[in-house]
Amino acid sequence: MLVAASSVFAFAAVSLVPWQTTLLFDTAIAAAASTAAMAAAALALARHFSADDRATLLIGLGLLGAGLLHAVYALVAVSGFDSRGSLDAVTFMDWTGFASRFWLSLFLYGSWLVTRHTEALGRVSSGTIGACAIAVITLVAIGLVLMPLPRIDTPGFLVTRPLEMLPATFFALTLFGYLHKGEWQRDRFERLLSVGVLLACFGEVSLIFLSRSPTDAFFGLAQLIQLSVYGLLVAALVSTATRAFAEVQSLDEKRRRDAIELANAREGLEAFMRSASHDLKAPLRHIFAFSKLIRDEAADRLTEREVADLERVMGAASHMSNLLESLLRFTRLGAPSRIREEVSLNELLETVVALLPVEDQSRVVVDAPLLDIRGDQALLTIVLQNLIENGLKYVDDDRSIVTVTSTSSSSGTTVSVDDNGIGVASKHSKRIFDPGVRAVSDSDFEGTGFGLATCARIIQAHDGRIWLESKPEGGSIFRFTIPG
Ligand code: ADP
């Protein structure tokens, strides 16, 4: 409404003022229009490259072409028309002005088309579209400079510039399209763009119906309107860029706050776990100690069944104590260090094997020297230790062996720990990596269910992957991959 009212006011004012444009005025307007259009084009293309949005690519190319045509006019005008003889200043200005408006209107309409039909440009790359547009606009500019140009206006007729109907139609279609799309009510960029296109339509009205010659006030007004359209587009693009920047900043701020909150929560959880495990372990120690005392001191007065019950109480107390210890260790692993050093798997394995009971050490086999990997040596030792100890633990007899191998591929180095033990039923193969989950009963095998969860968390912190493969002949293969 405001745009319409001010345009009508401007038309009325201009019709009362006896104003004639001059070559200097035209040249100054063309130079300013070229600068504004180029600035808007740069902003639109920057937005396109950051968001890969086809609509802003077309808007940018439209503005670039229009800016180039204004620049060509300004340069030719500055270099002097008189020396060029055949080239008439007014006609040349009329043609470059028309070409810039037609070019811009076509690309703005194209920008609306691609928002409605996203596949309209198919797989054509932005580079190809840009190169074609620049080649065409360069040819147009050369053609305008070199070819003899007829007068564009037809004085005396109601429609003084019939050719202007072309940009007028495309501007009107673009305006209708964007308004119909409805996004302008929410999106500031589309709102300012629509206002710009509406202004351009008023400029066309001034040129087609009101201006009688390329030097009259209506023609000058149309040029000023065209300059304002570029100004509006610059404002629209700057405002979206500022908003995007503010959004990124607030996102960063939110992320920083989230990280602090997370660190506080983790610290709180760890403190809670420390005190809980300390407070719970003390009574457990008493339960264990007193049960043991009764069993030892009163063994002659107790039945066999009572001794067995007491031993069950002791077993449960020590199991719970282990469980608390594992839980605490697992919680401490909240933010594993991100050290990336060259780790020799051979040395790592030697360390792990040395920690095993002597009778188990020969049950760990390596077929070929292992590869080196990049990661946190201390944490990777925990992983290998857990996997090897499990391979030796979950077996029917003590003769089973664990084989460690490593392979390299494009996704990194994969380490495999292969055993011929009891295996894991496929329904448990994913869940066993969750904290506290076991696929065997506590009475058959001791454990707390935190070993594999710890491994999974460590491998995750290395951006790797850990998984289980069951062997049809029995046994399991645990594999983990660490990116190279
Ligand atoms: P824990 O050994 O303390 O129970 P883990 O997290 O290391 O805890 O293992 C979780 C479960 O996965 C075990 O309880 C067991 O059921 C199963 N499991 C792990 N490794 C093996 C293996 N090599 N063979 C068979 N079962 C396994």
Side-chain angles (χ1 to χ4, degrees):
M1 282 302 284
L2 195 69
V3 174
S6 25
S7 299
V8 172
F9 177 75
F11 289 158
V14 163
S15 63
L16 297 174
V17 181
W19 175 38
Q20 290 278 306
T21 60
T22 59
L23 180 64
L24 184 66
F25 172 83
D26 294 337
T27 312
I29 287 280
S34 168
T35 313
M38 296 282 196
L43 288 167
L45 293 176
R47 182 176 140 154
H48 159 71
F49 285 118
S50 65
D52 194 20
D53 159 17
R54 287 285 166 101
T56 38
L57 170 70
L58 294 181
I59 295 175
L61 291 173
L63 287 161
L64 189 69
L68 187 81
L69 291 169
H70 290 303
V72 167
Y73 171 77
L75 287 176
V76 173
V78 168
S79 67
F81 280 99
D82 294 342
S83 60
R84 305 183 59 82
S86 62
L87 204 56
D88 168 47
V90 173
T91 308
F92 185 58
M93 179 205 40
D94 231 357
W95 272 99
T96 48
F98 160 73
S100 69
R101 287 184 289 276
F102 186 31
W103 180 267
L104 181 66
S105 69
L106 272 181
F107 277 79
L108 289 184
Y109 181 62
S111 78
W112 171 76
L113 271 186
V114 293
T115 58
R116 302 304 293 183
H117 310 283
T118 37
E119 72 295 343
L121 288 171
R123 287 164 188 270
V124 189
S125 75
S126 308
T128 315
I129 299 171
C132 289
I134 290 171
V136 173
I137 196 67
T138 311
L139 286 179
V140 170
I142 294 172
L144 285 175
V145 175
L146 298 182
M147 277 178 13
L149 300 169
R151 274 190 77 154
I152 207 170
D153 56 337
T154 50
F157 286 85
L158 174 67
V159 174
T160 43
R161 285 189 176 74
L163 268 184
E164 285 293 340
M165 294 300 251
L166 286 170
T169 309
F170 282 107
F171 279 135
L173 284 174
T174 309
L175 180 65
F176 179 75
Y178 274 106
L179 291 184
H180 182 67
K181 193 176 151 211
E183 203 61 25
W184 63 275
Q185 295 173 21
R186 288 173 291 278
D187 186 304
R188 192 183 312 174
F189 174 71
E190 290 210 4
R191 193 158 50 246
L192 287 173
L193 178 71
S194 305
V195 173
V197 180
L198 177 63
L199 255 181
C201 290
F202 280 110
E204 292 299 334
V205 169
S206 181
L207 284 172
I208 298 171
F209 300 109
L210 305 172
S211 165
R212 300 278 128 209
S213 99
T215 51
D216 67 9
F218 282 110
F219 194 90
L221 179 66
Q223 281 173 295
L224 285 174
I225 287 180
Q226 196 169 353
L227 181 59
S228 327
V229 171
Y230 299 138
L232 255 174
L233 290 177
V234 170
L237 288 157
V238 167
S239 112
T240 37
T242 323
R243 221 187 24 213
F245 183 66
E247 270 167 21
V248 169
Q249 259 191 338
S250 80
L251 214 69
D252 275 355
E253 177 59 21
K254 186 175 173 319
R255 220 175 269 159
R256 202 179 59 80
R257 263 186 281 124
D258 284 353
I260 293 173
E261 263 173 39
L262 194 69
N264 287 344
R266 191 172 277 157
E267 235 168 65
L269 181 68
E270 219 182 276
F272 168 76
M273 285 305 302
R274 250 195 319 273
S275 95
S277 85
H278 181 263
D279 293 351
L280 289 173
K281 270 168 133 184
L284 280 176
R285 263 198 309 276
H286 287 132
I287 293 171
F288 186 87
F290 281 109
S291 304
K292 188 167 182 298
L293 192 73
I294 298 171
R295 190 198 63 182
D296 295 348
E297 300 281 307
D300 47 343
R301 275 169 283 150
L302 295 173
T303 63
E304 225 171 79
R305 166 98 195 272
E306 285 165 338
V307 171
D309 283 348
L310 272 177
E311 277 171 356
R312 207 168 293 142
V313 171
M314 287 158 61
S318 73
H319 177 67
M320 192 159 170
S321 180
N322 289 341
L323 204 63
L324 284 171
E325 197 51 53
S326 303
L327 201 60
L328 187 62
R329 259 204 310 272
F330 183 71
T331 320
R332 282 208 196 108
L333 218 80
S337 82
R338 290 254 171 189
I339 299 174
R340 290 283 190 276
E341 57 197 355
E342 199 73 18
V343 178
S344 154
L345 275 178
N346 292 309
E347 282 174 22
L348 212 110
L349 189 71
E350 257 175 49
T351 317
V352 171
V353 172
L355 293 170
L356 293 172
V358 181
E359 64 276 17
D360 283 343
Q361 292 183 356
S362 58
R363 291 171 59 200
V364 180
V365 180
V366 189
D367 287 339
L370 300 172
L371 300 167
D372 291 350
I373 48 176
R374 285 192 67 74
D376 184 317
Q377 173 142 6
L379 293 175
L380 291 172
T381 311
I382 296 177
V383 174
L384 210 58
Q385 189 175 8
N386 266 303
L387 296 182
I388 290 175
E389 283 179 359
N390 278 352
L392 296 172
K393 178 165 75 168
Y394 294 107
V395 293
D396 292 327
D397 57 53
D398 290 351
R399 282 188 314 251
S400 62
I401 55 164
V402 171
T403 311
V404 184
T405 49
S406 63
T407 53
S408 167
S409 71
S410 57
S411 50
T413 306
T414 302
V415 181
S416 307
V417 179
D418 182 329
D419 67 54
N420 46 8
I422 60 169
V424 180
S426 59
K427 62 177 177 183
H428 296 302
S429 63
K430 285 217 164 65
R431 286 186 57 244
I432 52 170
F433 292 98
D434 291 341
V437 174
R438 309 199 69 212
V440 290
S441 75
D442 292 349
S443 54
D444 290 340
F445 295 95
E446 264 187 27
T448 58
F450 279 89
L452 290 180
T454 306
C455 296
R457 193 166 273 197
I458 293 172
I459 298 299
Q460 211 178 15
H462 282 79
D463 302 317
R465 191 166 85 83
I466 184 166
W467 71 100
L468 159 70
E469 282 173 23
S470 288
K471 297 198 293 186
E473 69 274 20
S476 354
I477 310 176
F478 283 86
R479 296 191 203 276
F480 64 87
T481 298
I482 304 273

